[in-house]
Amino acid sequence: SLPLNALTDIGGRKAVYVVDRTTSKAAPRLIETGGVTAETVKVVGGLKPGEVVVTGGVQFLTDGMDVRLPKAVAQTAFADQPQTSR
């Protein structure tokens, strides 16, 4: 699950921005959802474990934009669950 504010819309489809830890560049990613609550969205497809998802300010992002990651997130090579960055 991700916070609702991580969601954006691309061509009428749900998407999130994923950040590459190596380049710190954001890229939009279409996702499949399995339900939405008042605060979260369940992601059932489109993300891989360990990917960093931006959860705040996504309305201001564009493809390839630099994103400053918290040091702990930037240094983590892999994780069991998608991580979030604000």
Side-chain angles (χ1 to χ4, degrees), residues 3-86:
L4 263 182
N5 56 347
L7 282 182
T8 190
D9 179 271
I10 297 176
R13 296 183 63 193
K14 291 180 177 85
V16 295
Y17 275 89
V18 176
V19 181
D20 182 305
R21 283 187 181 92
T22 307
T23 64
S24 295
K25 303 277 185 193
R29 176 83 57 81
L30 296 175
I31 60 167
E32 298 172 40
T33 60
V36 177
T37 69
E39 298 177 5
T40 64
V41 59
K42 182 177 181 179
V43 178
V44 296
L47 291 177
K48 298 174 190 163
E51 290 187 306
V52 177
V53 176
V54 178
T55 61
V58 296
Q59 68 274 22
F60 302 110
L61 291 177
T62 57
D63 190 13
M65 183 177 264
D66 287 327
V67 175
R68 189 174 2 181
L69 295 174
K71 190 174 185 178
V73 173
Q75 292 176 344
T76 305
F78 298 98
D80 293 332
Q81 299 295 323
Q83 297 193 19
T84 59
S85 174
R86 293 182 184 199

